[in-house]
Amino acid sequence: MINIFRIIALLEGVSYLLLLFIAVPIKYILDDPSYVKLLGMPHGILFMAYVFFSITGKFKYNWSYKDFFIISTASIVPFGTFYVDYKYLK
């Protein structure tokens, strides 16, 4: 399960960065929302999968509430999932 969670965390982090730093600026600077539409749905699915796996991991690996809070909220912060992978999931 931890390997699947690591893959989900990586993909979620990459999709979030692409959405934030490429798709959204293109939407507002070039007035082209197509990239947000293209990346938005996969990012949403990956975000939900990340939250699901963090909740599942809390019970399977007996993470403390502090660790669980850090892991589960890392997907909101840019580069947060990469930190979680490095610090908690290896």
Side-chain angles (χ1 to χ4, degrees), residues 9-85:
L10 173 70
L11 294 174
E12 199 281 332
V14 169
S15 72
Y16 189 39
L17 293 176
L18 288 173
L19 198 59
L20 270 179
F21 297 115
I22 294 178
V24 171
I26 288 174
K27 177 181 178 180
Y28 289 108
I29 294 171
L30 301 178
D31 197 32
D32 183 8
S34 63
Y35 292 100
V36 173
K37 290 179 183 178
L38 179 71
L39 293 171
M41 181 63 75
H43 170 69
I45 292 168
L46 289 166
F47 176 77
M48 290 188 297
Y50 182 88
V51 170
F52 171 78
F53 276 100
S54 68
I55 293 169
T56 305
K58 161 71 173 120
F59 297 107
K60 184 169 183 168
Y61 300 110
N62 201 21
W63 292 329
S64 70
Y65 285 108
K66 178 186 171 191
D67 290 343
F68 172 67
F69 178 77
I70 292 169
I71 291 167
S72 61
T73 58
S75 62
I76 299 170
V77 179
F79 300 101
T81 59
F82 304 117
Y83 171 75
V84 165
D85 181 50

